[in-house]
Amino acid sequence: MVDEPSVQLLDKAAPIPQAGVLGRIIDKGGLIFAAGIVVSMVILINEVVLRYVFNAPTIWAHETTIFLCGIAFIYGGLYCCAYDNHIRVVLVYDAVPPRIRRFFDIIISIVCAAASAMFAWAAWIMVARAAFRPDGSFRLERSGSAWDPVYPGLLKVFMLVILSVMAVQFVILAINYARGKR
């Protein structure tokens, strides 16, 4: 006998059809960010060996693993959007008939698109400060550590891009739900 969560995971092996071509692109991009988590694990193992076996720690491992995991988590929100795994109150959602559920899907997608667009605007305000000097020239914000990488600036730019794409993905979902595409 197969338990219900396992069956649900098997059914969600691909983005939902309503996500369209963008959803399939997002799905493929997920592999890159999943690999980033594995790379961060390898970096941390390397750091442990260097620090405790050779007494020669690095100055870059901590910030690099935080950056790799951070971009993976940010991308995870977009990935969940393409798979329709975002948070909803299923107590009400599951109790209504499919026609009303479709209406809920449209409304939820529109609200999520608006929220994503507003967060993208807030991210743009952060990027404007993190990527541009007061004279208008481009210079990414740095961490201020001994190594001083541009990871904080890159993370803010990445967040802007992902939130913008997420807003577009929710608009696509709303349109496809309204069309009744399954």
Side-chain angles (χ1 to χ4, degrees):
M1 180 174 191
V2 178
D3 62 335
E4 187 62 33
S6 298
V7 172
Q8 231 174 16
L9 286 175
L10 292 174
D11 291 344
K12 298 284 184 175
I16 59 172
Q18 295 86 346
V21 174
L22 181 58
R24 290 190 296 277
I25 293 169
I26 292 166
D27 179 50
K28 300 278 189 261
L31 293 173
I32 296 166
F33 297 98
I37 297 286
V38 174
V39 169
S40 69
M41 179 209 52
V42 170
I43 291 170
L44 286 174
I45 290 170
N46 177 57
E47 178 66 13
V48 168
V49 170
L50 288 174
R51 178 179 299 262
Y52 296 108
V53 175
F54 299 108
N55 196 26
T58 65
I59 62 171
W60 56 269
H62 180 70
E63 288 176 306
T64 302
T65 56
I66 288 174
F67 175 72
L68 289 172
C69 291
I71 61 172
F73 290 138
I74 291 170
Y75 194 84
L78 180 60
Y79 193 82
C80 287
C81 175
Y83 275 74
D84 194 32
N85 284 334
H86 52 86
I87 298 171
R88 69 168 56 110
V89 182
V90 293
L91 182 69
V92 174
Y93 186 82
D94 288 346
V96 297
R99 188 170 157 219
I100 304 231
R101 231 182 261 166
R102 182 174 154 223
F103 175 73
F104 280 173
D105 287 336
I106 296 166
I107 297 302
I108 290 167
S109 296
I110 291 169
V111 169
C112 289
S116 298
M118 286 186 268
F119 283 123
W121 175 252
W124 165 248
I125 294 169
M126 282 192 322
V127 167
R129 290 188 200 130
F132 300 103
R133 292 181 177 157
D135 67 358
S137 61
F138 182 78
R139 184 173 191 275
L140 283 174
E141 177 182 359
R142 303 183 81 82
S143 71
S145 68
W147 186 41
D148 203 25
V150 295
Y151 291 157
L154 286 175
L155 197 59
K156 291 173 184 177
V157 170
F158 185 73
M159 192 178 318
L160 169 63
V161 170
I162 293 299
L163 286 167
S164 301
V165 173
M166 189 181 291
V168 171
Q169 179 65 83
F170 277 120
V171 168
I172 291 169
L173 286 170
I175 291 168
N176 286 335
Y177 284 136
R179 288 181 178 165
K181 182 176 180 181
R182 281 285 166 202

